[in-house]
Amino acid sequence: MKIIEQHLTEIEPTWQEFTLVNDNQTEVSFLNYGGIITEIKTPDQDGNVENIVLGFEDYRDYTANPAFFGAIIGRVAGRIPNASLPINNQTYQLSANEGINHLHGGPNGFHSVLWEAESFRTDHSVGVTLTHRSPDNDGGYPGTLDVDVTYELDNQNRFTITYHAKTDKTTPLALTNHSYFNLSGNGKHTVENHSITMPSKRFAELDSNFIPTGNILDAAGTPFDFTNGRHIKGSIESDHPQNKIVGSGYDHYFLFVNRVKPDVKVCEPESGRTLTVTTDEPGMVMYTSNNLDENLKLKSGTSRNYMGLCLETQRHPATLSHSNFPPILLTPEKEYRSRTTFTFDTED
């Protein structure tokens, strides 16, 4: 196993790209800018090694990155309506970056931070720990926040992201990674033929602005029931109002209750690739790139709808308005800890 480090001197200040390589031809590449995962290469069932995440052809395009490709999202993943943050009878005004709403930490969120990076090796893995101090009132958020995110790859083809943070004032925190997976390899096909299995039986209803209404809906008998496996294509074509409201697909928070591991399994039949996601988070936003910006120049070609599948394991900001969601407030006497593992394999 090894770590390859590249300095991107054409960008000021200079970015670093790290590539974690195991002994099974699995590679994970990412930047210290935004913690952005630029490539994940894995073999298919015939041994062909290809990239299975979306990323820009030109690194400089990550400075805008309207789709948040591959990035660490924070302080809060998701939409905060009216960019207004209520905490303990006090309201903080955040930076708006989606109309009047605050999305994925705002315009200067963690996706645009140049993180400090330190690589490490163990007997069983290679990795890099990214660290950042977010000052009090950063983007409108209260409290100085010290956060570290560790990317680690082992020889069982497990890529683990571990999050840890501390604050000196009560502040909301809901971190995630925003990679767009496409197991067909090098973006040969859309993700419509991917099948997904997960044990979630409930999901959050959205309004026309993609903001949770506060209602938690039963997934049984709907296109939101993945307990026995379901292809994305059939759900995209469904007439369910919650599929329609987000542009024919998914951009919904699925809650994990009485879950069994693995939490989520994704399969792509042509390549034979599988992706298993295991997490200690209470839920996951699944986004099928139904509203992906068109004509972005990606390594796999020009972007279009349904090119990638986001599996954003996280807590959700809806709890700021609705008490029936898992809490996200971090207080000074506690530490934030979270772990999600992505395991890459092929069907037998």
Side-chain angles (χ1 to χ4, degrees):
M1 304 182 73
K2 61 183 179 180
I3 304 173
I4 301 170
E5 183 177 345
Q6 177 184 2
H7 292 268
L8 306 179
T9 56
E10 69 272 22
I11 299 172
E12 292 291 340
T14 298
W15 295 355
Q16 295 169 280
E17 184 176 47
F18 297 89
T19 300
L20 310 179
V21 184
N22 73 6
D23 297 333
N24 304 316
Q25 297 182 293
T26 296
E27 301 182 9
V28 180
S29 298
F30 54 92
L31 303 171
N32 65 333
Y33 178 79
I36 293 169
I37 296 171
T38 57
E39 286 188 317
I40 297 178
K41 293 181 178 179
T42 68
D44 67 7
Q45 60 191 358
D46 297 318
N48 301 308
V49 178
E50 296 170 307
N51 177 32
I52 60 166
V53 294
L54 304 188
F56 285 113
E57 183 179 48
D58 187 336
Y59 286 107
R60 288 168 291 193
D61 288 338
Y62 286 115
T63 58
N65 200 8
F68 300 91
F69 287 127
I72 297 170
I73 302 299
R75 292 188 189 186
V76 173
R79 294 173 175 85
I80 297 178
N82 302 311
S84 182
L85 177 62
I87 301 178
N88 298 335
N89 299 317
Q90 185 173 350
T91 300
Y92 297 86
Q93 197 60 40
L94 306 179
S95 302
N97 61 325
E98 190 189 52
I100 63 173
N101 300 322
H102 176 89
L103 175 65
H104 289 338
N108 300 306
F110 291 170
H111 65 283
S112 61
V113 164
L114 193 62
W115 296 67
E116 297 291 328
E118 183 174 351
S119 61
F120 64 88
R121 293 170 176 80
T122 74
D123 291 340
H124 309 288
S125 65
V126 289
V128 172
T129 297
L130 303 168
T131 59
H132 173 62
R133 168 165 283 188
S134 176
D136 187 24
N137 201 39
D138 188 10
Y141 286 99
T144 297
L145 185 77
D146 289 302
V147 58
D148 56 84
V149 179
T150 298
Y151 290 164
E152 186 173 10
L153 178 67
D154 67 18
N155 268 334
Q156 283 68 53
N157 300 327
R158 295 179 299 205
F159 173 57
T160 298
I161 305 179
T162 304
Y163 305 89
H164 171 254
K166 296 186 292 184
T167 183
D168 62 0
K169 293 181 184 178
T170 298
T171 192
L173 194 62
L175 304 175
T176 195
N177 177 268
H178 210 278
S179 289
Y180 290 69
F181 292 96
N182 185 322
L183 301 185
S184 69
N186 295 340
K188 288 192 294 293
H189 309 296
T190 66
V191 297
E192 295 174 63
N193 204 33
H194 286 45
S195 67
I196 301 167
T197 305
M198 64 175 163
S200 173
K201 296 180 180 180
R202 300 189 302 159
F203 69 99
E205 180 185 57
L206 298 180
D207 66 17
S208 59
N209 294 313
F210 303 177
I211 303 291
T213 64
N215 294 327
I216 304 296
L217 303 182
D218 184 357
T222 77
F224 293 80
D225 184 355
F226 290 89
T227 54
N228 294 314
R230 179 181 295 274
H231 284 84
I232 293 174
K233 183 175 182 180
S235 305
I236 288 171
E237 295 172 347
S238 88
D239 291 325
H240 193 286
Q242 281 294 298
N243 289 129
K244 292 293 187 182
I245 206 168
V246 296
S248 297
Y250 299 96
D251 195 358
H252 294 77
Y253 188 59
F254 291 81
L255 289 92
F256 299 139
V257 179
N258 299 324
R259 62 191 180 192
V260 293
K261 296 183 183 300
D263 290 320
V264 181
K265 185 171 183 179
V266 184
C267 303
E268 203 282 322
E270 184 172 311
S271 69
R273 289 188 179 92
T274 65
L275 168 62
T276 302
V277 185
T278 304
T279 186
D280 56 15
E281 289 285 10
M284 180 189 78
V285 172
M286 184 170 72
Y287 175 50
T288 48
S289 57
N290 356 299
N291 299 296
L292 186 62
D293 292 352
E294 294 186 353
N295 300 317
L296 299 175
K297 294 181 179 179
L298 308 182
K299 290 181 179 179
S300 55
T302 304
S303 64
R304 62 190 187 280
N305 285 348
Y306 310 117
M307 277 197 71
L309 173 68
C310 296
L311 304 168
E312 304 161 51
T313 56
Q314 63 171 93
R315 298 155 220 192
H316 201 284
T319 188
L320 297 168
S321 303
H322 308 287
S323 60
N324 54 340
F325 284 78
I328 65 169
L329 291 183
L330 178 67
T331 56
E333 65 271 16
K334 294 186 178 180
E335 296 185 14
Y336 179 101
R337 297 184 185 277
S338 174
R339 175 173 292 184
T340 295
T341 297
F342 302 89
T343 302
F344 310 108
D345 205 345
T346 55
E347 298 274 31
D348 295 332

